[in-house]
Amino acid sequence: MAKHEEKTIDEVIEEASRYLNDEHTTFLRLAYEYAKDAHEGQTRKSGEPYITHPVQVAGILIELEMDPSTIASGFLHDVLEDTEATYENLSEEFGEEVASLVEGVTKLGKIKYKSKEEQQAENHRKMFIAMAKDIRVILIKLADRLHNMRTLDHLPEDKQRRIANETLEIFAPLAHRLGISTIKWELEDVSLRYLNPQQYYRIVNLMKQKRDERVYYIDQVIDDIQDQLQDVSISAEISGRPKHIYSIYKKMAYQKKDFNEIYDLLAVRVIVKSIKECYAVLGIIHTCWKPMPGRFKDYIAMPKPNLYQSLHTTVIGPKGDPLEVQIRTQEMHEIAEYGIAAHWAYKEGTTNTQEDMSKQLAWFREILEWQNETNDAEEFMESLKVDFFSDMVYVFTPNGDVIELPSGSVPLDFAFRIHTEVGNKTVGAKVNGKIEPLDYELQTGDIVEMLTSKHSYGPSEDWLKITQTTQAKNKIKQFFKKQRREENVERGKELIEKEIKNLGLSPKEVLVDDNIQNAVDRLHINSLEDLYAAVGYQGITTQQAVNRLTEKIVKEERAEDLENSILEAQQEVESKRKKTTGMGVNVKGMDNLMVRLSKCCNPVPGDPIIGFITKGRGVSVHREDCPNMKNEDEKRLIEVEWEDVSSQRKNYSVDLEISGFDRNGLLNEILQVVNETNTDIVAVNGKSDKNKMAVINLTILIQNVDHLKRIVERIKHIRDVFTVQRTIQ
């Protein structure tokens, strides 16, 4: 992974001056000074002044050649969240446009939520709503996330993995949908490095092995193509196309392919002046080398929804190896690299507006509709992942218009994407001229015609099980909501009361004013009757409604259960009169409690630890970063500390996982290094895959964290070892 040099403010402003005038660069300098003053005294986890982050974010936006307001917002993007600055301050200093962009990027940091997951989902929901109003919000957010990913080394490992996972689930797909491949590829590669370092370094190692051979081969191919194009007087820019680590990983993982079976490791890109020349070059390529069947794609005649255009073909190259060739114009290349940002790129006097891209961004406006139809932020995000970030199929209307749908969609999803009334009046579907059932799975290239009748009674409830897209499901639910309110209220009441009884509670006991008010507030509903109706037409699940109605009762029961657990633990220990268990741990503020070290994370002296009150077994001691503690009731957690064990010689068991490139003698070197530290080895096992990636598991006995660190550092210095980490069961 390439290391990015941090830019100074002078370098950033100088780069902006390449395409902005003096008035604009002065405006940017003012935004920088304002942000610098606002963040004065704040530092990043790396210890650097906080202002270095906004400067790099602005620098990334300048690389995309964004307009002055967007870049200024890059400098200011954290001031509303992390400083005393207000929306009114920004509006007064830099105008309503900049203030609105900064607010769109700002998280909901000051509102309390039930869980981190709920808060994160609500943050994303707010960002998407702001993005649908002004697409530049997400461009700033992508630049912010990209720099954060570049500096992720300074965070704890659990945070690295959480942020990398979120990046892979939300931000990389967003960059793809917006066509910004230059950001998408880097986000994916860096995320893989933190989520699966073994696979990341294995692929890097495999790519290095035959790099010189591939470069020589590509140079030969480029010379051959250049000679052919000169003969027909076509001027072209030809280069080898870099293959990204994550795309190789995906093909190896999901298509079950070996590294050597991936065709497009060898790829060439040809950039010409016109569309006519694109097709001329394609003909020449196919004349020189035999094309592989089914490997030609014409994204010029049928662009991708993210605006991408290019010709793709795979041929059998000079040495009999598959060779991918991409052919496009310079304008297409800019859009391929920068996507929607290429349309926002600032050219003085000719800045594009969002209206110019209304058709391409129609899917964003659907997000605004969802905002009014979905009550739960986590449900909203899950729907977004399914509808917009999953693999897509492209089908045609009878008039030849292309409709994009998530993979797995059926004709009903197509009908509701066309128009609500088309969906409501559907009685059947023709696919490629043949009658097909409504649950037929659509394939790319299908021509779909919906059969409707004005005498139709409307959607069936079974349609909710058949449809795949959130849009279709919401339209069906809306129909039931309007048409059958009384029936839905009665049905919802029956379902809720039945579920309450299943929990061993009485509906009279649960359906009191306090509980009802809590439920309707949390679910953004006006009344109990509306709640019944929502459950009746499946706008809200019965489980969601009952969870909110019983929330306070459950909390009270947990508090009572906790008190009983503590009492049981104290009584049991009192009877046994055991002051300690020899584990070297004290429970703060309490004596005579049984203590045991958890086997899932194997804490050792020096680890930050936390106690968990169990039923009948005293206090279980875990490492603070133990994932098994994340979802536990905070009331059961208790402070614990290590005793002074400097004079003791007690040993603690620790599990290590070591990954590296498999070679002769690797395991022997690791065992030798551990033995040299006078450390007992309890167990060892290892495995290697066909790509020469070795994973070795060691169980050793150590005295404290410092002892463990010495061993880990020694192992890390062994040649071909990629990662060493403690494992948690």
Side-chain angles (χ1 to χ4, degrees):
M1 188 177 62
K3 194 77 174 173
H4 290 268
E5 292 294 328
E6 300 274 277
K7 297 175 184 175
T8 66
I9 180 59
D10 291 332
E11 289 170 337
V12 168
I13 296 295
E14 184 181 349
E15 195 171 338
S17 67
R18 286 187 299 102
Y19 69 98
L20 296 178
N21 61 32
D22 291 345
E23 182 185 345
H24 295 140
T25 53
T26 300
F27 179 68
L28 297 184
R29 180 76 74 169
L30 286 173
Y32 161 74
E33 294 294 346
Y34 187 97
K36 183 183 176 186
D37 291 343
H39 289 296
E40 187 67 42
Q42 295 177 357
T43 57
R44 304 198 82 209
K45 294 290 184 183
S46 62
E48 295 176 303
Y50 193 87
I51 190 61
T52 58
H53 170 61
V55 169
Q56 306 315 310
V57 170
I60 293 168
L61 293 169
I62 289 167
E63 288 172 16
L64 299 176
E65 294 197 359
M66 296 304 296
D67 60 290
S69 293
T70 307
I71 300 166
S73 301
F75 281 120
L76 299 162
H77 75 275
D78 275 334
V79 297
L80 290 184
E81 183 179 354
D82 296 334
T83 77
E84 298 300 317
T86 64
Y87 181 93
E88 289 71 24
N89 297 150
L90 289 186
S91 182
E92 188 178 334
E93 291 282 341
F94 302 102
E96 194 74 24
E97 185 180 16
V98 169
S100 180
L101 286 170
V102 174
E103 186 187 42
V105 182
T106 303
K107 296 175 190 170
L108 304 180
K110 296 177 182 177
I111 300 176
K112 291 187 178 179
Y113 294 93
K114 184 180 176 184
S115 67
K116 284 185 179 178
E117 289 77 13
E118 185 180 343
Q119 180 173 358
Q120 194 72 337
E122 193 62 53
N123 288 336
H124 289 146
R125 178 188 177 120
K126 176 176 183 281
M127 180 183 71
F128 278 103
I129 302 309
M131 176 182 75
K133 295 174 183 173
D134 192 329
I135 195 65
R136 291 174 294 174
V137 167
I138 198 57
L139 298 177
I140 300 165
K141 188 64 186 175
L142 284 172
D144 171 49
R145 177 53 59 111
L146 180 57
H147 182 249
N148 280 334
M149 291 300 291
R150 288 174 179 175
T151 56
L152 211 54
D153 277 344
H154 302 288
L155 295 181
E157 188 178 329
D158 61 323
K159 278 194 175 181
Q160 289 176 347
R161 293 182 65 82
R162 178 177 58 77
I163 293 169
N165 191 60
E166 179 188 58
T167 300
L168 213 49
E169 281 193 348
I170 303 292
F171 292 98
L174 249 181
H176 173 66
R177 285 305 302 249
L178 296 171
I180 313 173
S181 62
T182 185
I183 287 180
K184 177 211 171 194
W185 290 121
E186 187 177 347
L187 288 177
E188 288 181 336
D189 283 357
V190 181
S191 296
L192 179 63
R193 180 188 164 199
Y194 289 102
L195 289 173
N196 199 333
Q198 296 95 331
Q199 294 285 19
Y200 176 88
Y201 287 112
R202 178 182 71 176
I203 293 169
V204 169
N205 195 64
L206 290 167
M207 289 177 75
K208 281 180 182 176
Q209 285 178 11
K210 294 187 178 181
R211 184 178 180 278
D212 293 341
E213 186 181 319
R214 285 200 304 273
V215 169
Y216 177 74
Y217 178 78
I218 289 293
D219 287 345
Q220 265 191 321
V221 169
I222 289 173
D223 290 341
D224 289 348
I225 296 174
Q226 200 69 266
D227 291 342
Q228 293 289 333
L229 297 187
Q230 283 176 359
D231 289 345
V232 292
S233 302
I234 293 179
S235 173
E237 181 186 321
I238 310 174
S239 61
R241 181 180 66 83
K243 189 66 184 171
H244 297 276
I245 296 167
Y246 184 74
S247 65
I248 296 174
Y249 165 74
K250 271 181 71 176
K251 291 191 176 181
M252 292 173 71
Y254 301 130
Q255 297 178 20
K256 308 294 182 188
K257 289 186 175 181
D258 195 4
F259 182 80
N260 297 322
E261 296 176 298
I262 297 174
Y263 291 151
D264 48 358
L265 279 174
L266 300 173
V268 168
R269 180 176 291 142
V270 183
I271 299 175
V272 292
K273 293 178 182 176
S274 67
I275 293 176
K276 184 179 178 182
E277 288 184 346
C278 287
Y279 288 99
V281 171
L282 178 68
I284 291 167
I285 297 292
H286 283 180
T287 303
C288 292
W289 299 296
K290 188 175 181 179
M292 292 180 65
R295 298 283 298 173
F296 168 66
K297 294 184 177 71
D298 187 345
Y299 294 119
I300 293 179
M302 198 170 77
K304 291 184 179 182
N306 64 8
L307 315 177
Y308 179 89
Q309 286 184 290
S310 186
L311 296 176
H312 290 196
T313 186
T314 303
V315 297
I316 303 299
K319 292 184 179 179
D321 293 325
L323 169 72
E324 185 184 67
V325 183
Q326 297 179 353
I327 309 162
R328 61 180 68 150
T329 65
Q330 183 61 43
E331 184 182 356
M332 291 174 191
H333 181 61
E334 286 183 15
I335 292 173
E337 292 294 301
Y338 303 114
I340 211 78
H343 288 265
W344 271 106
Y346 186 81
K347 311 289 187 236
E348 194 166 358
T350 60
T351 309
N352 287 292
T353 63
Q354 211 161 336
E355 285 70 30
D356 297 331
M357 299 173 284
S358 58
K359 288 184 181 178
Q360 292 92 334
L361 295 174
W363 67 279
F364 276 165
R365 270 171 286 287
E366 290 178 26
I367 294 172
L368 286 176
E369 292 180 27
W370 291 8
Q371 163 67 6
N372 298 320
E373 296 168 2
T374 306
N375 297 304
D376 189 286
E378 293 180 64
E379 180 190 341
F380 174 84
M381 287 309 302
E382 285 305 312
S383 301
L384 199 70
K385 289 175 192 175
V386 170
D387 280 18
F388 292 134
F389 297 159
S390 60
D391 292 334
M392 311 303 286
V393 294
Y394 304 95
V395 297
F396 295 92
T397 68
N399 294 330
D401 295 326
V402 180
I403 303 295
E404 179 191 39
L405 293 165
S407 182
S409 292
V410 299
L412 284 170
D413 295 300
F414 173 89
F416 282 102
R417 181 63 57 89
I418 298 298
H419 196 277
T420 304
E421 281 307 301
V422 173
N424 286 341
K425 298 296 181 182
T426 289
V427 293
K430 278 186 180 180
V431 181
N432 303 322
K434 179 186 171 186
I435 297 282
E436 294 286 0
L438 292 177
D439 62 354
Y440 166 85
E441 187 172 323
L442 297 173
Q443 306 296 319
T444 293
D446 284 345
I447 300 171
V448 187
E449 179 185 355
M450 300 311 300
L451 306 176
T452 61
S453 169
K454 60 183 179 181
H455 301 298
S456 166
Y457 289 106
S460 156
E461 286 191 17
D462 288 339
W463 289 10
L464 288 169
K465 300 172 186 174
I466 295 171
T467 49
Q468 300 298 309
T469 63
T470 305
Q471 182 191 33
K473 291 182 188 297
N474 282 338
K475 297 296 183 188
I476 295 165
K477 289 173 185 175
Q478 278 182 355
F479 176 85
F480 292 136
K481 181 179 179 181
K482 290 175 184 174
Q483 298 294 319
R484 306 178 184 174
R485 178 167 176 84
E486 286 185 16
E487 183 184 327
N488 286 330
V489 169
E490 192 59 38
R491 187 177 184 192
K493 181 179 180 183
E494 184 182 321
L495 288 169
I496 285 175
E497 290 185 353
K498 182 180 178 183
E499 182 63 23
I500 290 172
K501 289 175 183 175
N502 287 342
L503 294 175
L505 299 170
S506 157
K508 269 190 177 180
E509 168 190 6
V510 173
L511 297 173
V512 296
D513 289 346
D514 280 356
N515 293 339
I516 292 169
Q517 193 61 48
N518 178 62
V520 297
D521 287 348
R522 294 294 297 273
L523 294 168
H524 309 290
I525 288 175
N526 295 325
S527 66
L528 179 61
E529 190 175 86
D530 286 345
L531 180 62
Y532 287 151
V535 171
Y537 67 78
Q538 299 180 45
I540 294 172
T541 66
T542 310
Q543 192 66 51
Q544 278 179 303
V546 173
N547 283 349
R548 297 307 186 197
L549 286 166
T550 59
E551 205 164 27
K552 291 186 176 181
I553 295 172
V554 169
K555 280 182 182 176
E556 288 168 5
E557 285 181 349
R558 282 180 182 167
E560 187 179 335
D561 190 34
L562 176 62
E563 286 178 17
N564 291 337
S565 296
I566 293 172
L567 188 59
E568 282 177 27
Q570 287 175 331
Q571 286 173 345
E572 184 170 340
V573 175
E574 188 64 30
S575 65
K576 294 182 179 178
R577 300 304 300 164
K578 288 187 178 180
K579 186 167 184 178
T580 71
T581 58
M583 294 300 171
V585 176
N586 287 328
V587 179
K588 287 191 178 180
M590 291 190 184
D591 291 327
N592 302 331
L593 276 180
M594 288 175 61
V595 175
R596 63 186 182 86
L597 299 182
S598 166
K599 293 189 182 298
C600 63
C601 57
N602 286 331
V604 299
D607 280 332
I609 52 175
I610 189 74
F612 178 70
I613 299 169
T614 64
K615 291 184 179 180
R617 292 184 298 162
V619 175
S620 172
V621 178
H622 295 255
R623 284 169 27 203
E624 282 187 356
D625 62 353
C626 179
N628 295 327
M629 289 294 97
K630 284 186 179 177
N631 298 317
E632 294 294 351
D633 187 347
E634 289 187 6
K635 291 181 180 177
R636 286 183 176 271
L637 301 180
I638 190 168
E639 284 192 60
V640 291
E641 62 184 1
W642 293 104
E643 294 176 350
D644 181 9
V645 293
S646 56
S647 60
Q648 299 181 21
R649 297 292 296 171
K650 181 174 175 56
N651 288 324
Y652 297 82
S653 176
V654 168
D655 296 319
L656 294 179
E657 181 179 276
I658 303 157
S659 67
F661 183 68
D662 191 17
R663 60 168 170 82
N664 288 336
L666 178 64
L667 178 58
N668 286 338
E669 285 186 39
I670 291 171
L671 296 178
Q672 184 179 345
V673 160
V674 176
N675 283 327
E676 286 172 358
T677 63
N678 295 320
T679 301
D680 290 333
I681 299 173
V682 177
V684 59
N685 65 70
K687 59 184 177 180
S688 176
D689 61 23
K690 62 182 178 181
N691 289 307
K692 305 289 287 180
M693 184 67 192
V695 177
I696 297 165
N697 295 103
L698 279 183
T699 302
I700 57 177
L701 296 178
I702 60 100
Q703 294 164 17
N704 52 44
V705 166
D706 291 337
H707 182 188
L708 178 61
K709 283 180 181 175
R710 288 198 301 274
I711 297 168
V712 169
E713 285 305 312
R714 292 284 299 275
I715 296 173
K716 278 185 176 179
H717 281 89
I718 297 173
R719 180 170 62 88
D720 290 328
V721 167
F722 298 151
T723 61
V724 184
Q725 57 187 10
R726 288 172 72 177
T727 56
I728 294 177
Q729 297 176 3

